[in-house]
Each structure stands twice: as C-alpha cells, then as structure tokens.
Amino acid sequence: MLTVRHLTKSYRSAQEQVAVLRGVDLDVAAGESVALTGESGSGKSTLLHLIAGLDQADGGDITLENVVTTGLPDAARAALRRDRLGLVFQQFNLIPSLNVADNLAFQSRIAGRHDAVWQDELVERLGLAALLKRYPEQLSGGQQQRVAIGRALASKPLLLLADEPTGNLDEETADSVLSLARDLVARTGCGFLMVTHSARLAATLDRQVQLHAGLIR
Amino acid sequence: MLLSHWRRHPMQLATLLVGLIAATALWSGVQALNQQARASYDRAAATFGGARTAMLVGRDRAAVSQDLFVDLRRAGWPVSPMLEGRVPIGGRTIRLLGIEPVTLPVEASATAEVGKGGVQAFITPPGQTLISPETLADLGLMEGATPAIGDALKLPPLRVQPQLVQGVLVVDIGIAQTLLKMPGQISRLLIGKANGPRAPLEQVTGNQLRQVEPDAETDLERLTDSFHLNLTAFGLLSFVVGLFIVNSAIGLGFEQRLPMLRTLRACGVSARLLNTVLLVELVSIAVVAGLIGLVCGYFIAASLLPDVAASLRGLYGATIPGQLTPKPEWWLAGLAISVLGALAAATSSLLKAVRLPLLAAAQPYAWQQAQSRWLTLQGALAAIVLTGAAGVLLLGDSLIAGFVVLAALLIGAALALPVILGLVLALGERSTRRPLTKWFWADSRLQLSGLSLALMALLLALAVNVGVGTMVESFSRTFTGWLDGRLAAEIYLNASSEQQAVEIKRWLKPRPEVKAVLPGSRTDVQLSGLPVEVLGFADHATYRQQWPLLEATSDAWDRVRSGDAAFISEQLSRRLKLGVGDRLEVPALSGNWQLQIVGIYADYGNPKGQLGVNIDALVNRFPAISQTRMGLRVQPADVPALIAAIQQQFGLDGRNLADQATVKAESLRIFNRTFAVTAALNAFTLGVAGVALLTSLLTLSNSRLPQLAPLWAIGITRRRLAGIELLKTLSVALITALLALPLGLAVAWCLIAVVNVKAFGWRLPFNVFPLQLIQLLGVAMLASLLAALLPIVKLLRMQPAKLVKVFADER
Ligand SMILES: Nc1ncnc2c1ncn2[C@@H]1O[C@H](COP(=O)(O)OP(=O)(O)OP(=O)(O)O)[C@@H](O)[C@H]1O
Ligand SMILES: [Mg+2]
C-alpha cells in the first residue's frame, strides 16, 4: 500500500549540506504495523514527515495506494493528509480551543467521513467517555495521546503515521496506549508506521526496520 | 545577559519603544500647547489696563480732558489715567499705551519692573519704552534703541519686559501725550479696587464719562479652560492607548524570559538582584523612549500650534505667540510621565517576577475556566464603573463631573468589551456544528485574552472618534444654520458717528437695490453681577423669519415690538435660570426696565450673555446709546457694487463695512481650524490604536504555532489557515467597531448635553450622521486589516519545517 523508493533528503545548514536520507526504500502493506527505529538524528522524523507530505523530498518516490505523492503541490498534499492519513506526534496533536469531543470529530468531519457509530466505538475503546467535555490542557499526557489516536483513526485513514507517540509517557501508560492503537489499527485494517526509540515497544509490532546512515536496514 | 533578549527580539523592543514614544509624545505635545497658552494668558492679563479692571470712558469712547482725572481723585475715586493710540514705526503702526505708574491699580499692572526703583527712570526724561521681547524681535530692534516715529519724534529708549503682551509699547502718559500729539488728553480712567467713600460719578463729571464693567471676555483662563480640558482629555486618552502597547510588549518580553529568569534564580541569583536589574532596564528604556517622545511631542505641538492659536483667537480672542517655547519643567514632566507610564504598564509583569516560583507552575485551570473567571471579574468591574458613571451623571453638575462621566463611560465600556466579545463568540461557537467554523469561533475566544487590550484601545479610539466627529458635525450643521439666522442682512456697517449714520441712511433711502435698512444697537448692562449685552433690533420680517429661536411664545414678536418683552440667549437663560414666561429687570437710566422673556435663542460661541429687545424700546430706555450700526437687505448680486459705493461715499473701511458672505466665511474658517486640532488628535489616537492591534497580533502570532500546527498537519493548507486567521481578526475588530458606534454616540451625547453645556452654556441639537459612522467603520476595518496583514504574511511564508518543529521539539 505504501511504497517508498530511493527517497533522498538533505538539509542545508549554515556551512554544509547534510544528507539525512540517502535513498530510502520501504514498504508497508495494508493491515501491517511497522516500527521505525534508529539513533537520534538518524532521520526518522524526516522520513515520516516526507511520507505525510509535510515536507518535500529531494528525490525518489512515495506511492500511497497507487498514487505518487512526491511532487504534488501544497494543497494536494494537504488534501492527502486530510483524506488518507492519520498523524500522531509526540505532542501538540490536539487543537487547544476545542474540547475532546470536537477534537475527536475534527478530521473526520472536514474529510467528510464522519461516522458516529465508529466514533462512539473509539470513545469507548479508548476510555474517553468521561472526558468528552474537557479541553486538551485539562488532560494528562496519556489521555491526550489517546485522544490523538482516536482523532487520527476516526477518519478511517489508509495509513496511520506516528512519531514517538508515547515518548512523553511512562512505560505503563505507553504500553496501554500502544496496545489500544494496535487493536484499533487491526480493527480498521489500515497500515501503521511508528517511529520509536524503545526496542521493547518496537518488538510488539509486526515488523521492525532501522534507519542508519540515511538508509533502511 | 538579560539584554540579549532584546537583541534577539528587535521587534519587541521596537514595539515597546514605539508605545512609550507615542504615549509620551502625544501627552507632552498636548501639555506643551496648554502651557504655551497659559503663559500667554498670564501675559495678556498682566497688560496695563488689560481689562480685568473696571474703567471710565468718554461717552463716545472719545478722548477726554485729564482735568477729569484730578476731579475724580479729589472726589475719592481710585482712578488712574491712560492714553492709547497708534504710532508708526518702520512702516507699521503699533499700539502705544501711556500710563501713570504711581496711581496705576495694582491689579491692572505688571509693574514688577517699573516698580523696582524703575519708576524714576520711567517717568523722568528721556523715560523708557516697555516692549515685549517678541515685539522687539518683530521690529528688528535692539534694547536701548530710540526708534523714530513719524517726522520728528522719537520713542524713549526701549526696555524689554518679558511679561508684557505682544504688540504694545508702554510709556509714561506725559510722553505718550507728546508722541500722540494729544496734550492734556486721556483715553480712559482705570478704576482701582480700593474701597472708600466716593462721590457719585454724575456729580463729579456730569455725563462726560460712563463706567464700563470689567469685560467677561478678558477672563481668558476661565473661558479657555474647557478648551484646554478637552485637549488634556485627548492627551490622556492617547497616553492610555499608548500604554496598552507598552503593556503588551512588556508582558510578552517578560513571558519569554521567564525560563531564563528561572534558570538564573536556580543558579543562585537573588530575587532582589534580578528585580533590580529588570527595574533598571525598564527605567532606562523608558528614559530613552521618553526623550525621543519629548522631541516628537515638541514637533507635534509645534505643528498643531498654529491651529490651536487660531481657534483660541477665534473662539476667545486670546492671542498666543506662534513660537513654541517649552519650559524646563515640561521636559522633566515628560520624562517622569514616560517612566511612570512604563512602570504602570509593567506592574503586573514585575509583580510576577517578584513572586516568581522556582518551578514552572502547573496550570490550575483550563483556559476556559481561567477566562470565565477573568471575564466575570471584568464584567463586575465594568458594571461598577458604569453604575458610577450613571450616578455622577444624575448627581454631578459641573464640567469636571461631565468629564468624569465621559471617562467612566469609556473605561466601563472598555472593561465590558471582552465580556461582550466573549459572549458573542461563545454564541457563534454554539450555533454551528461545522468543525472549521466551530474552531473559528472557539479559537477567537481563546485569543481574546491576548487581544483584549488592543481591542479595548481600538474601541476607545473609535468611540472617541465617533463622539467627537458627531459633535463637530452637529456643531457644524447647527452653526451654519445659526449663522444664516443671525447674519440675515447682506451688508453690515458701523458708521463712525451718529451724524454719519443719519447721512448714510438718507443716502441709502432713494437707492432701489436696498430693500431694507435694519438699525441695530447694543449696550452693556449688569444682571445679577453678570455682564450682559442688550441687543436692539428692528421689527422686520427678516428677523421674524430667521432669528434662531429655540423656544418662544406664539405672540413673541408682537410682544417684543411692544417693548416690554425680550428674547434671551440660551447661555444667559441657563446662567440666570430663567425660561420663557419669567420676568427680569434691566437697570436703565430712568429706573429698572421690566421685561418678560418670550423666547430663547441660540447664541453659539458668545461668552457673554445677551438679551434681544426692540430697538425703539432700547433707545427709549438708553437715550445716550450710539446708533451707528445697521444691516442692509440687498439682492446678493448688488452687494459688491453697493459696498464699493458706500466705501467711496463715506470712507468706511473693512472693519466697519462687511458683507455677510465674508463674515460667514471668516466664522466658518475659524470654526474649521478649531476642529482641525481635534481631527489631528483623533487621527493620532486611531493610528496608535492600530499600532496596538498590530503589536498584539504580532505578539500572539509567536505563540500561535502550537495552535495552528495541528490543523495544518491534519490537512488544512497554510493559505486557508491564513485566510481564516485574517477573517478572525477582522471579525473581532468588526464586532468591536460595531460596539464602538453606540458607545461613540453616547460619548457624543455626553459632550453635547453635558460637557458643552457646562463649558459654554449652550446645547447643540443631537444628530446622528450615518455616513460618517460608515466611513469611520471603514477606516477602522482598514486599520485592522493593515494590522492583521503582517502576521498573516508571516504565516503564509512560514517554512513547513518550522511548523513541523512544533511536534518534534522537546520542551
Ligand atoms: N529543518 C532542519 N534544518 C536543518 N537540519 C535539520 C532540520 N530538521 C532536521 N535536521 C537534521 O536532520 C537530521 C535528522 O533529523 P530528524 O529529526 O529526522 O532525526 P530523528 O531521527 O527524528 O531524531 P530523534 O530521534 O532525536 O527525533 C538531524 O541531524 C537534524 O539535525
Ligand atoms: Mg524525531
């Protein structure tokens, strides 16, 4: 479903050009969950951002469900994120001025794919029923990430991308959040690509890939 | 180390400086104008016989013999003689005053100089000529010079006297009699305040002299007070608006430095040291900004001075010099106000620094709860202030009370603004289910606390603009209509003597273009201690149709013709608390004149009270009254030719012969210049409010990334986000502007119905000018658009990497 071929990306810092990705190849099949690991600064986030269309690659192709997304204009990439992807970051996933219920429904509504039954199920499975009227800053880190996952999955994306979604959480909370995510991903049958530092968490997914020196190993 | 913050955020420093500079500049500019005017009033009042004194003058104001002076002194009258004339110097003619320093009443003199052992030098030949420094410079002369006047005569050596009013030369009366070739003559006698037995005037001098009461118009300070109070109020408003900017800049700078302050504290730097450093930094910035602000204020004042001078001259006959000379106190006061303002604006931030907890405080409330607590508090405060305003409005009865009401109204409305905005936005949020629309309202609400100060500034600036604009427009309409009524005749002339007046009338009679000759006369009387002018006019259709009556009985004109009824000017009716139907008594030679009031008329801009009576009745009661004035009804097309003919025939000059169009144009010109100052200050405040909005938006835009980034990640383009952001700013600005309109009208009402009545004694009809309101609304929206544009462009051009960073940055 997701195919990444020969992807390259470099950043120009003050003096030198830093090649972060030097020809990355990666596949994620529908229903498959993949852990992306690698040392700090190896380019994991960069790769995830390119797949999400948040940034432009220098070379190579990203294909999502037979659509080549590299080289699409800004607006098309935004539409792609809205309609096809679910994104969860380490922090600041939620819209501070909206309450939990509105945050959960936000993406599915603007994507025009709101499904009340599915959302209710998500609320129940993620244990958010009591929190619907709260605002993001009134939630703990784990609660916030649960809402973020719910928001991302509510629109039934093709692919869920997560960049250290449990990075700010303690081990126990991280485990429970991740297992919820895994269950729900399996339930929707979407692909799941997660960046993590934790070998323990990585091991719970279907497959692990490691980014090293700009290449997938 | 703390300073490095400003180097990294030059915009913030610039904002802080701009706010302080604007605040100081506007405030001190207005103060400079006020000081300048006050100083010149003092000088005018100090002129010899500058007419805070009562005096005796000849029947036709002609010169009289100085023997009368001796007679009166003998009869116990504390009088002092004065001779006035004009002398030619270097192609110009200058007013020359001859005084008698020994008998000059203390209150009528600025004899500081003359008195200091100088009397001898002043009165003994060659004597001295006192002159003001400006006049000396005008004439291009040096102190000690003895300029020639006319053919053979020379002035005594010039001696500069700084307190002296401009355009006057003062010499001893003996010298003046020689210079003016009027030996043994005097123009008038000033009456000192000394009380003692004195023989009745008629007994001493027969009917050669009459007493003239101190002129109301000379009490410049009291009269112009309201004008200066207006200016001060404007200065204060601008200052407050400027402080809004300062407050937001300091608040932001402080927020951003909190982590650094915490780190420093954690490293063991004492709280006291940190606070001292912060304070010193703030004060130095304030001093620098204050100095720049003072220079700007000087230029603002200098550029407004001509207009201010013109209005004061037009409205009150007060002359103030065109050269701005700020006193040293002005500079110090300006710096002080800058520092105090900065400290006031920084209070909350500094207090936070003092109580800075070492650990970042966990947020106890969500923004919603915090906001509703804040709004409740503000709402309560607003209610208290507005109730206070209503109370003062009901109970207060002075000019100051009027301004207190105005201030309370504005402050209360400003405090209530966020509450109202919050309600409107919450309503909007509730009314929609579409996620983006909902976010639009919710996020506007979230931004409210950050924007509210700037919006308050916008509200105040707009409301004052609406208020003053409405007042000026009301005034302008009323004034032109009123001028039409008061200046009904096409030509006004004042003959040089009664004999000439009779000749002119005879000459006019056979001329076909003259439709009517309307004689007019006036005399001064005292009513309950107030100087009042009694105006006599003919019974003619011209007046019946055009006289600007505000209120009258149905048979008013017939009653006035019968001679036992009068119209009263609005000011006088307010001051004497007399209305239609009431009676009053005017002291006349042949006993008191009983008059019933049958109408009240508008007499805008006249500081003196006035009564209008039938001219025949007036002449009957005051037989000695001069009958030299008349108005002529002529077809407008015939006016120039007739004026030329009268000029040629009778040698009347422009001062004694005027056509209505010229008089009207002159009145309107004065009027327009008066309000040019207000318009300029209005524009300044609106500009400052725009800057306040811009700085707040810039400030907010820095902290908005975490709020916008999730939306962008979810799939809303930057362009769309920028559009929504712009729309958000414009809609809160629009709501604010819409609220400012009724507030502005309330301000206008306050100005018209309270402040003007107290300050001038007349009340204008209150009108609403929709076109003007729409125009102001447009200007406000344009200002908001301009203010919103910069942050929007910043967002549009933001690199995705910067947005992405929000999610990856570990904080
Ligand atoms: N906007 C940027 N400009 C310049 N260099 C950048 C930029 N973003 C990332 N880099 C560089 O690219 C490299 C990869 O960064 P990236 O954030 O992808 O690493 P990462 O694997 O996610 O690291 P971490 O595990 O710490 O999150 C780093 O060396 C980083 O310094
Ligand atoms: Mg990363």
Side-chain angles (χ1 to χ4, degrees):
Chain A
M1 180 198 50
L2 170 72
T3 1
V4 177
R5 292 286 171 270
H6 313 299
L7 199 65
T8 55
K9 175 77 180 173
S10 52
Y11 287 113
R12 183 186 299 279
S13 66
Q15 309 87 9
E16 22 150 30
Q17 186 113 346
V18 188
V20 181
L21 304 179
R22 305 160 182 255
V24 168
D25 294 311
L26 176 68
D27 293 272
V28 179
E32 184 188 24
S33 60
V34 178
L36 177 61
T37 57
E39 58 203 49
S40 185
S42 58
K44 306 180 295 292
S45 295
T46 304
L47 176 57
L48 205 76
H49 294 158
L50 291 179
I51 296 172
L54 295 171
D55 207 350
Q56 293 268 32
D58 295 341
D61 289 318
I62 301 168
T63 315
L64 189 66
E65 198 72 330
N66 304 322
V67 179
V68 181
T69 65
T70 27
L72 284 178
D74 216 30
R77 282 185 286 135
L80 175 87
R81 286 198 296 279
R82 186 185 64 205
D83 298 337
R84 309 249 131 154
L85 300 179
L87 295 178
V88 181
F89 298 102
Q90 190 171 337
Q91 58 186 352
F92 296 120
N93 288 295
L94 304 178
I95 299 164
S97 52
L98 297 180
N99 64 21
V100 170
D102 290 329
N103 262 293
L104 275 174
F106 195 85
Q107 188 176 358
S108 59
R109 278 187 191 276
I110 62 167
R113 285 212 302 271
H114 186 63
D115 178 344
V117 179
W118 172 228
Q119 176 158 336
D120 287 346
E121 185 179 344
L122 280 173
V123 167
E124 202 210 319
R125 302 272 300 258
L126 290 167
L128 298 173
L131 308 176
L132 286 178
K133 290 270 165 271
R134 294 222 196 156
Y135 284 83
E137 43 175 18
Q138 293 167 296
L139 301 178
S140 72
Q143 289 168 335
Q144 284 189 19
Q145 290 309 74
R146 268 155 46 203
V147 178
I149 289 166
R151 199 267 322 275
L153 289 175
S155 63
K156 296 188 192 149
L158 278 179
L159 179 63
L160 177 64
L161 297 170
D163 191 349
E164 296 183 47
T166 57
N168 279 351
L169 307 180
D170 63 78
E171 240 177 53
E172 207 172 314
T173 320
D175 282 349
S176 78
V177 167
L178 187 61
S179 76
L180 271 172
R182 267 197 333 262
D183 287 357
L184 289 168
V185 164
R187 171 105 169 61
T188 47
C190 70
F192 181 28
L193 178 62
M194 178 179 80
V195 172
T196 180
H197 272 128
S198 155
R200 192 175 52 80
L201 290 179
T204 63
L205 298 194
D206 298 346
R207 188 155 66 88
Q208 300 172 37
V209 291
Q210 196 184 12
L211 195 56
H212 182 73
L215 293 168
I216 293 280
R217 265 214 312 236
Chain B
M1 164 128 87
L2 281 166
L3 285 178
S4 71
H5 171 82
W6 299 119
R7 212 171 314 131
R8 272 186 298 128
H9 299 276
M11 244 341 254
Q12 240 176 66
L13 182 62
T15 313
L16 180 57
L17 285 173
V18 164
L20 269 175
I21 289 171
T24 318
L26 287 169
W27 171 254
S28 54
V30 165
Q31 287 313 312
L33 287 174
N34 282 345
Q35 265 187 17
Q36 178 85 358
R38 294 252 157 73
S40 65
Y41 303 152
D42 287 346
R43 292 211 293 184
T47 325
F48 306 96
R52 278 189 183 172
T53 28
M55 52 193 177
L56 299 171
V57 297
R59 275 290 153 201
D60 289 332
R61 291 206 174 240
V64 295
S65 159
Q66 75 182 35
D67 297 342
L68 291 174
F69 162 60
V70 183
D71 296 344
L72 281 166
R73 291 292 299 193
R74 284 214 190 101
W77 284 75
V79 289
S80 175
M82 178 175 280
L83 181 63
E84 182 174 350
R86 299 187 77 86
V87 290
I89 299 178
R92 301 169 49 179
T93 69
I94 307 273
R95 206 169 137 215
L96 181 79
L97 279 184
I99 58 162
E100 206 285 294
V102 180
T103 54
L104 196 65
V106 213
E107 61 272 16
S109 66
T111 40
E113 292 283 309
V114 183
K116 253 193 291 171
V119 176
Q120 207 58 33
F122 186 71
I123 55 176
T124 48
Q128 288 175 344
T129 305
L130 305 183
I131 185 170
S132 79
E134 290 90 356
T135 317
L136 190 71
D138 269 4
L139 292 172
L141 295 169
M142 302 295 286
E143 194 166 9
T146 58
I149 55 169
D151 26 333
L153 296 168
K154 275 189 168 181
L155 279 178
L158 298 176
R159 170 101 190 271
V160 169
Q161 192 169 15
Q163 304 88 357
L164 199 60
V165 74
Q166 271 177 272
V168 176
L169 303 171
V170 180
V171 296
D172 179 67
I173 190 158
I175 299 170
Q177 285 170 339
T178 318
L179 292 174
L180 296 169
K181 303 196 182 91
M182 295 170 80
Q185 304 263 75
I186 56 177
S187 304
R188 55 179 173 265
L189 290 154
L190 307 181
I191 309 173
K193 288 239 169 75
N195 276 321
R198 45 173 100 156
L201 186 61
E202 282 80 12
Q203 248 175 46
V204 188
T205 63
N207 69 348
Q208 295 183 69
L209 293 178
R210 68 190 169 93
Q211 184 162 348
V212 177
E213 291 310 318
D215 209 338
E217 289 185 49
T218 54
D219 206 352
L220 283 175
E221 271 187 89
R222 190 180 60 76
L223 272 176
T224 51
D225 257 358
S226 57
F227 185 84
H228 293 297
L229 200 55
N230 267 317
L231 275 184
T232 309
F234 250 112
L236 198 62
L237 178 76
S238 319
F239 184 67
V240 171
V241 171
L243 286 194
F244 280 132
I245 305 180
V246 178
N247 180 284
S248 69
I250 291 179
L252 177 70
F254 180 77
E255 271 323 309
Q256 291 183 342
R257 284 196 288 183
L258 262 186
M260 175 171 31
L261 294 182
R262 263 198 203 103
T263 315
L264 286 172
R265 284 286 304 278
C267 293
V269 180
S270 81
R272 174 173 303 182
L273 180 65
L274 264 187
N275 293 332
T276 316
V277 170
L278 283 176
L279 209 62
V280 168
E281 175 199 79
L282 185 65
V283 169
S284 354
I285 291 178
V287 167
V288 172
L291 279 175
I292 303 175
L294 278 170
V295 173
C296 296
Y298 178 86
F299 283 113
I300 291 177
S303 66
L304 289 181
L305 188 62
D307 281 332
V308 170
S311 345
L312 286 169
R313 194 162 52 243
L315 280 175
Y316 311 103
T319 46
I320 59 177
Q323 191 79 43
L324 197 64
T325 44
K327 295 184 193 162
E329 298 99 276
W330 177 78
W331 295 93
L332 287 178
L335 279 184
I337 201 97
S338 171
V339 172
L340 286 178
L343 288 178
T347 318
S348 67
S349 294
L350 284 174
L351 278 181
K352 247 194 237 167
V354 170
R355 288 192 251 132
L356 181 69
L358 271 180
L359 299 172
Q363 282 184 312
Y365 299 104
W367 68 270
Q368 283 250 324
Q369 281 165 307
Q371 196 173 50
S372 78
R373 276 161 58 97
W374 166 66
L375 287 181
T376 314
L377 192 72
Q378 287 239 349
L381 264 177
I384 293 172
V385 173
L386 287 175
T387 316
V392 176
L393 183 63
L394 286 178
L395 303 175
D397 190 35
S398 66
L399 187 58
I400 299 291
F403 274 100
V404 169
V405 171
L406 261 186
L409 182 66
L410 287 172
I411 293 171
L415 286 172
L417 176 71
V419 182
I420 298 173
L421 277 174
L423 286 176
V424 172
L425 296 175
L427 219 67
E429 186 184 342
R430 211 160 300 156
S431 71
T432 182
R433 287 219 52 82
R434 298 188 43 214
L436 261 185
T437 324
K438 196 168 191 124
W439 174 73
F440 175 91
W441 294 109
D443 209 57
S444 301
R445 211 143 71 93
L446 177 66
Q447 273 181 284
L448 198 57
S449 47
L451 271 186
S452 63
L453 271 181
L455 290 174
M456 285 182 194
L458 183 68
L459 179 83
L460 292 188
L462 265 179
V464 171
N465 266 277
V466 169
V468 174
T470 303
M471 181 188 70
V472 172
E473 194 64 31
S474 292
F475 197 5
S476 167
R477 298 270 169 101
T478 316
F479 192 68
T480 33
W482 171 80
L483 267 183
D484 287 341
R486 286 304 295 268
L487 298 175
E490 280 74 20
I491 296 177
Y492 287 88
L493 69 80
N494 188 6
S496 55
S497 65
E498 297 202 3
Q499 162 140 31
Q500 192 187 39
V502 174
E503 279 168 30
I504 292 177
K505 275 180 204 160
R506 195 180 306 133
W507 182 82
L508 286 171
K509 196 154 241 167
R511 296 186 78 95
E513 70 267 37
V514 181
K515 300 276 176 329
V517 177
L518 308 170
S521 271
R522 53 190 71 190
T523 187
D524 294 318
V525 297
Q526 291 245 331
L527 287 183
S528 322
L530 293 172
V532 171
E533 205 171 42
V534 185
L535 191 69
F537 48 81
D539 183 51
H540 189 268
T542 306
Y543 296 117
R544 287 188 177 236
Q545 283 155 17
Q546 310 215 27
W547 197 253
L549 283 173
L550 301 170
E551 195 185 324
T553 59
S554 54
D555 59 345
W557 286 98
D558 298 325
R559 292 288 312 279
V560 169
R561 185 176 50 187
S562 74
D564 62 355
F567 294 137
I568 187 169
S569 75
E570 186 187 2
Q571 307 53 336
L572 189 60
S573 99
R574 277 184 208 281
R575 255 176 254 161
L576 297 179
K577 298 198 165 57
L578 291 176
V580 171
D582 291 336
R583 302 189 155 275
L584 53 77
E585 291 188 2
V586 174
L589 283 181
S590 50
N592 282 351
W593 185 8
Q594 307 271 349
L595 286 166
Q596 184 171 25
I597 295 166
V598 291
I600 299 176
Y601 62 94
D603 190 23
Y604 302 119
N606 189 353
K608 255 193 205 175
Q610 210 178 51
L611 288 174
V613 296
N614 183 272
I615 186 160
D616 299 329
L618 180 68
V619 172
N620 236 334
R621 298 285 174 156
F622 297 88
I625 200 167
S626 85
Q627 300 187 55
T628 55
R629 292 166 186 274
M630 62 195 94
L632 311 180
R633 293 305 310 266
V634 187
Q635 285 295 333
D638 298 328
V639 169
L642 184 61
I643 285 192
I646 298 174
Q647 256 167 354
Q648 192 172 2
Q649 189 74 22
F650 299 100
L652 291 177
D653 62 10
R655 260 183 312 150
N656 294 320
L657 181 64
D659 70 308
Q660 178 208 53
T662 313
V663 177
K664 263 188 200 163
E666 179 63 13
S667 308
L668 285 176
R669 201 182 57 81
I670 291 169
F671 173 82
N672 287 334
R673 287 196 78 169
T674 302
F675 290 106
V677 183
T678 328
L681 287 174
N682 254 341
F684 277 130
T685 31
L686 203 57
V688 173
V691 174
L693 192 59
L694 171 66
T695 53
S696 302
L697 285 172
L698 280 177
T699 305
L700 278 180
S701 76
N702 290 333
S703 58
R704 285 199 50 72
L705 278 188
Q707 283 149 35
L708 294 178
L711 286 134
W712 173 71
I714 286 169
I716 295 168
T717 56
R718 273 169 300 165
R719 182 190 294 242
R720 183 107 184 266
L721 278 179
I724 297 176
E725 287 285 284
L726 184 63
L727 200 61
K728 263 169 32 185
T729 308
L730 289 184
S731 39
V732 284
L734 182 67
I735 300 174
T736 306
L738 286 176
L739 289 174
L741 297 185
L743 178 63
L745 292 178
V747 168
W749 182 86
C750 226
L751 284 171
I752 286 172
V754 184
V755 173
N756 261 348
V757 175
K758 292 287 169 256
F760 306 112
W762 33 259
R763 180 173 179 164
L764 294 165
F766 177 70
N767 292 316
V768 177
F769 305 97
L771 212 66
Q772 195 188 36
L773 297 185
I774 292 171
Q775 204 179 336
L776 258 174
L777 205 60
V779 171
M781 292 321 289
L782 194 69
S784 320
L785 180 69
L786 288 179
L789 228 45
L790 191 56
I792 296 297
V793 169
K794 253 174 88 179
L795 175 63
L796 264 181
R797 301 179 53 181
M798 184 170 292
Q799 294 299 316
K802 200 166 174 197
L803 279 162
V804 160
K805 260 216 159 100
V806 169
F807 305 111
D809 258 5
E810 316 212 2
R811 300 214 187 183

